[in-house]
Amino acid sequence: MGDISNHPRWYSAGLSGSVYGLSGVVMTDIRHISEETKTNLSVESGEIVVSVSGGKDSLACCLRLFEMGYKKEDFRRVFMDTGWESQVTYDYLDELEETIGTIERIKRTVPLDDKFTTAAKKFILEEEQRLGRESGLIRMVVKRSLFPSSFRKYCTFELKIKPFQDWIKEQDNDIICVVGV
């Protein structure tokens, strides 16, 4: 995470918790944002980005911003896609866009390079064909010959945190992360 703290100002207005271990993050509880805080969260002070998971807390963050007077075009919504979510989740996100606005899908590409055997590549492509999408998680499990677990949470960092950090670094504006946890 080294130089992530050198990025312009980070501000998180989450329900609670932390924003992916990013340094320099200021946390506040969005349920208690005052008019003064709302002024500090103005579009001029940075680009507001809501991390949408498809769960109730991230939806609550979007709805709270609407209650505070923000419009769809006042903030961006992003979803970190591992390629392994249920089709129900993808369908729900598509439906949710009608209410909260476009949700950008951030996805890490895990290339099928020389580190994969021919048999592994064949297996991956068949599974992705069955899923109907590329799956970073399947590719990482095969590449590492290891499923993630509560002790080996590499998928969270590699498929969600790192791609989100990279995406934020590519943005031209300061970022205000709004996360429901």
Side-chain angles (χ1 to χ4, degrees), residues 115-130:
K115 294 178 183 171
F116 292 96
T117 65
T118 302
K121 288 179 188 177
K122 182 178 185 282
F123 169 78
I124 290 167
L125 293 173
E126 287 172 355
E127 286 302 304
E128 290 177 343
Q129 172 88 29
R130 187 181 60 77

Side-chain angles (χ1 to χ4, degrees), residues 110 116 123-124 135-148 154-155 159:
V110 179
F116 292 96
F123 169 78
I124 290 167
S135 175
L137 183 63
I138 290 175
R139 292 175 181 219
M140 292 198 78
V141 166
V142 172
K143 187 174 191 174
R144 292 174 178 251
S145 299
L146 184 67
F147 278 97
Y154 66 85
C155 62
L159 297 174

Side-chain angles (χ1 to χ4, degrees), residues 34 38 67 70 98 100 104 112 114 120-121 132-133 138 154 156 158 175 181:
S34 65
K38 182 181 174 192
E67 286 175 357
Y70 291 96
E98 295 172 20
I100 66 172
E104 298 174 54
L112 289 176
D114 294 337
K121 288 179 188 177
R133 63 185 160 274
I138 290 175
Y154 66 85
T156 301
E158 294 291 330
I175 298 296
V181 284

